[in-house]
Amino acid sequence: MRAVAVTAMGGPGVLRVVEWPDPVPAPGEVLVRVRAACVQPADLATRAGMIPGLPEPPFLPGWDFAGEVVGVGEGVTGHCPGDRVAGMVPWYLTRGTVGAYAEYVAADRDWLVAVPDGIDAATAATVPLNALTARQALDLMALAPGSALLVTGVSGAVGGFAAQLAARAGHRVVGVGSQDDEAWVDGLGLAEVLPRSVDLAEVGPFPAVLDAVPVGPPAAAAVADAGTLVTTRPTPPLDPARKVRQEVVMARIDRPMLAELFAEVAAGRLRTRVAASLPLAEAAYAHRLVQAGRLRGKIVLMP
C-alpha cells in the first residue's frame, strides 16, 4: 500500500510517500480503508524528533482516521465490510508500527466506532483525538456544578471542543481565542471571549483553567490558589504554596465516550471544522500549513 513515512527526523521534507507492507488484520483487529487522516500538532513534534523514545525511521505518523471496513480478523463482531468507522491510533503505544498516514490501517476493534450518517470522512477524522482530549480534560477537573472555567485556544480543536462541552454542562466558560474568528467562536456557548493579547494574570482568578494550547505560565497565573490547572503538555511546576493541582491530559481510547461525542457531532450540538482536505502525497505541505498556524480548522489528508 501507499503510505507517508517519516524517513528521518527533521522538517516537513522528511515526509515521503513510500510503499509499505499491506496490513493484515490479526485476531481482534479490523482492516480499514482510510479515507481521511487528520494532521495533528503531535505529528509535527514526532517528525521533528521532539517526542522521547521515538523509533528509528522510517515509521508512520498519524493518530486520527476515518474510512470503511474492508475485512475483519478472527473473533471480531460488530464490524462488517462496508461499515463506516472512525478511530484513533494510540500512537504513544504503536510508535509508528501503525499510523494513519496510509491507505489502510489494521486497527484493534477497541480503537473504532461507527460514524453516524451525515458526517463525512474528513469531518469524522477531526473528532477522535481532540474531542477525547477535551472531554477527558474536563473529567480530570471534576468541576462543581456551575463552575467558572478559563479555556485557552478556543479557536483550536481541543479548546473549542472543551469550551462547547463545558458550556453545555452548565459551566461559565471564558475563552481565549483569535479576534478575527468571531463567527466560529461566537457559536461555542462562551460567556466571554478574551483576545490572545490579554494579560491572563489580570483576569480571574479562576477555580479551573484548561490550557489547551498550552501557553504555560500566563495561563497558570489565571488559576486561583488551591485551584486546578490542566494542560495538554507538561508545563513548569507551580509554587507548592499555591496548592494548585496540576494535571496533564493524554487522550486514552474510550469507545463509549467516543461514540457519545460522535452522536453530539451528528446532532449538531458539538461543532468541528476542516480547514482543507489535501491528497496524502501532500503531507509535507500539510505539515507546513499546520506549522505556520492561524488555520481555521484542521488539515485532513485524503489517501
Side-chain angles (χ1 to χ4, degrees), residues 207-280:
V209 173
L210 171 57
D211 189 7
V213 177
V215 298
V223 66
D225 290 350
T228 300
L229 173 65
V230 177
T231 59
T232 53
R233 290 195 300 273
T235 55
L238 303 183
D239 181 352
R242 295 189 59 196
K243 298 182 180 179
V244 172
R245 178 167 66 95
Q246 288 183 259
E247 302 280 359
V248 179
V249 60
M250 176 174 285
R252 68 184 189 281
I253 291 173
D254 184 323
R255 288 182 67 197
M257 181 182 289
L258 185 55
E260 289 177 12
L261 291 164
F262 265 108
E264 292 290 288
V265 174
R269 294 188 292 265
L270 191 60
R271 303 167 68 204
T272 183
R273 55 181 175 172
V274 176
S277 299
L278 301 173
L280 180 65

Side-chain angles (χ1 to χ4, degrees), residues 4-10 14-16 43 46-47 56-61:
V4 167
V6 174
T7 59
M9 302 304 186
V14 305
L15 294 172
R16 303 288 177 83
D43 300 334
T46 299
R47 183 210 73 224
E56 287 296 318
F59 57 82
L60 302 184

Side-chain angles (χ1 to χ4, degrees), residues 1 34 60-63 65 89 91 94 96-105:
M1 69 173 179
V34 178
L60 302 184
W63 292 66
F65 62 95
V89 175
W91 208 94
T94 70
T97 57
V98 180
Y101 289 22
E103 291 181 313
Y104 294 92
V105 168

Side-chain angles (χ1 to χ4, degrees), residues 143-158:
L143 298 168
S147 293
L149 169 69
L150 177 71
V151 180
T152 68
V154 294
S155 296
V158 174

